[in-house]
Amino acid sequence: MSNNDDDDFKLPLEQRLESKKWKVKRHGYEELVKIFTEAETDKHPCFSKYGPFMKKILTDKNVMSQEKGMKAVEIFVDRSPLAIKNAESICEELIKNKCIAGSRPGTKKSSLEIFLLFVERDQQDIALETLMNLGGHHRVPNVVKAAIEIATELLKQYGAQHIPIKIILRHLPKLFEHQKADVRGVANELAKEVYRWVKDSMRVSLKQLRAAQLKQLDKEFKMVDEEEERRVPMRYSRSQQKIASLERQKKKFADQPKEIDTFDLVDAEDVLTKLTDEFWTQITSKLWKERKKQIEKLEAILNIPKIKADNVDYTELANTLIKIISKDANVVIVAK
């Protein structure tokens, strides 16, 4: 170690955190871990003072120094109220900078724990949406694979009562079409984990899969059904922990599992967007066959699990149907 390095190690912490020498920067990260760990409360000024450096750690190009810095980010997310305000940006940087699929084991381990901590701090929607949307569509297959593996672990640790499974189901079909076999493999494991929690309630969201894919999943699901051990959460969010002690909460979730409503797993669809100009023209046509054709099309459009009700005006459609029922002379059309 040179004398210059010795002198650099004595620089103020802010300067060491900005240093271009990776060893000096790593030295600063190690001190930052110590400061965050020893802070007496989560309101300690160190979190606001050094909070802006979290992004610099996540974007650090030197994997050796970054690995040490990731521990500081982990403690920051665990303790600082500012972490909640920056949850989305931190989660995004973990994926954009490929931390979740990093070459250093410490970086990968901290990345997983950071996502787990965000879920613990009731930021599960942000954590999972970032993993499935940004991670699941990343151009680097290893990042996609890592994102799916973390999503699987979040569900395994916290359970379906706390993890928004709807987000997972929305992205699963596309993941099953990924060109890389290992990505499809971890997507399959994620699907099995979802099935462990919600069973057949998830099938309505898998309709668009190819017949061969559905057949393979059925085989996998049957194997899951043969498992004797029922899934129970291994970790609980801080909001859950406030309701009761951790032990009492575990017993409550194990003995009285909440039923998952299939209806809650499906996104509501706006049927009006599917009605073409042809529909509106022919639904009032003088030709009964044209009216019948459009009624049958409408019947098919409405045959979905959930119709969007908020911020959609169905007045015109309702009035049109009322007119048909009350005035149409064709009994076949009225019956439909």
Side-chain angles (χ1 to χ4, degrees):
M1 187 178 296
S2 67
N3 290 332
N4 285 338
D5 285 338
D6 285 338
D7 292 338
D8 287 339
F9 289 153
K10 297 174 184 177
L11 290 170
L13 179 55
E14 289 91 334
Q15 291 185 36
R16 278 178 282 150
L17 295 174
E18 297 274 15
S19 177
K20 293 183 178 180
K21 297 179 180 178
W22 73 268
K23 289 184 179 180
V24 175
K25 190 159 46 178
R26 183 179 66 176
H27 186 270
Y29 291 161
E30 289 171 342
E31 184 174 333
L32 193 56
V33 169
K34 187 173 184 292
I35 291 171
F36 282 169
T37 302
E38 295 177 355
E40 294 180 359
T41 71
D42 59 9
K43 295 180 176 60
H44 194 283
C46 68
F47 293 115
S48 58
K49 182 177 182 180
Y50 297 111
F53 286 96
M54 299 304 100
K55 183 174 182 179
K56 293 181 182 294
I57 293 172
L58 297 173
T59 57
D60 194 337
K61 299 301 181 185
N62 187 288
V63 296
M64 301 293 287
S65 58
Q66 186 190 50
E67 185 176 27
K68 290 292 183 181
M70 289 295 291
K71 192 64 182 178
V73 179
E74 189 180 325
I75 300 170
F76 178 82
V77 171
D78 183 27
R79 300 196 62 190
S80 173
L82 295 173
I84 303 302
K85 296 178 181 179
N86 294 281
E88 186 172 2
S89 62
I90 292 175
C91 288
E92 287 179 352
E93 293 298 340
L94 285 167
I95 292 170
K96 288 178 180 178
N97 295 286
K98 307 173 194 171
C99 301
I100 62 173
S103 59
R104 302 297 301 174
T107 299
K108 291 175 69 175
K109 183 179 178 182
S110 287
S111 295
L112 170 60
E113 185 58 30
I114 288 167
F115 275 104
L116 287 166
L117 284 167
F118 272 128
V119 175
E120 181 180 308
R121 301 196 69 178
D122 297 291
Q123 303 302 303
Q124 60 271 16
D125 283 37
I126 290 174
L128 197 61
E129 191 66 70
T130 308
L131 284 168
M132 299 304 294
N133 193 29
L134 189 61
H137 296 83
H138 200 279
R139 59 184 177 80
V140 179
N142 279 347
V143 175
V144 180
K145 180 172 178 285
I148 299 170
E149 288 173 333
I150 292 176
T152 304
E153 191 63 26
L154 295 185
L155 180 55
K156 188 182 296 184
Q157 293 275 343
Y158 289 99
Q161 283 74 40
H162 194 59
I163 295 297
I165 285 182
K166 186 195 300 186
I167 295 175
I168 296 174
L169 293 176
R170 192 185 305 142
H171 292 275
L172 262 183
K174 188 164 185 178
L175 293 173
F176 279 126
E177 298 295 336
H178 200 281
Q179 61 181 353
K180 294 292 184 179
D182 54 349
V183 171
R184 297 194 301 272
V186 292
N188 189 66
E189 291 302 312
L190 177 55
K192 286 163 61 178
E193 189 61 34
V194 172
Y195 183 78
R196 287 186 178 97
W197 291 96
V198 303
K199 298 298 181 181
D200 288 335
S201 297
M202 71 182 292
R203 290 185 183 275
V204 68
S205 299
L206 301 177
K207 286 182 180 179
Q208 58 186 293
L209 294 182
R210 289 181 281 108
Q213 292 173 322
L214 287 171
K215 186 177 180 180
Q216 180 60 37
L217 276 178
D218 281 337
K219 291 181 181 179
E220 300 281 358
F221 292 164
K222 285 178 182 178
M223 293 175 64
V224 171
D225 288 333
E226 293 172 2
E227 296 175 358
E228 294 183 8
E229 186 176 349
R230 187 176 63 184
R231 276 282 193 259
V232 293
M234 292 182 278
R235 289 174 69 155
Y236 296 89
S237 71
R238 295 183 189 180
S239 65
Q240 289 173 324
Q241 292 175 37
K242 287 179 182 178
I243 297 171
S245 68
L246 185 57
E247 288 303 315
R248 288 180 59 191
Q249 191 72 6
K250 282 182 180 179
K251 188 176 187 305
K252 175 184 174 183
F253 276 79
D255 294 346
Q256 300 177 348
K258 181 182 176 183
E259 290 294 327
I260 303 297
D261 189 344
T262 305
F263 195 70
D264 293 334
L265 300 178
V266 182
D267 286 323
E269 298 183 43
D270 182 352
V271 298
L272 292 184
T273 61
K274 300 179 181 181
L275 299 179
T276 63
D277 291 339
E278 181 186 64
F279 170 82
W280 293 109
T281 301
Q282 293 189 2
I283 196 66
T284 56
S285 171
K286 292 181 179 180
L287 300 175
W288 74 270
K289 287 186 177 181
E290 289 187 352
R291 299 198 306 276
K292 179 175 177 288
K293 176 184 175 183
Q294 296 308 320
I295 286 291
E296 289 173 345
K297 283 186 177 181
L298 178 61
E299 187 178 13
I301 290 171
L302 295 175
N303 187 26
I304 55 177
K306 188 190 294 187
I307 296 174
K308 186 176 182 181
D310 297 333
N311 301 318
V312 182
D313 187 359
Y314 292 104
T315 304
E316 184 179 0
L317 179 60
N319 289 337
T320 302
L321 295 176
I322 291 170
K323 184 177 179 181
I324 290 172
I325 293 170
S326 61
K327 296 184 178 181
D328 202 305
N330 191 298
V331 293
V332 176
I333 295 176
V334 172
K336 285 188 171 291

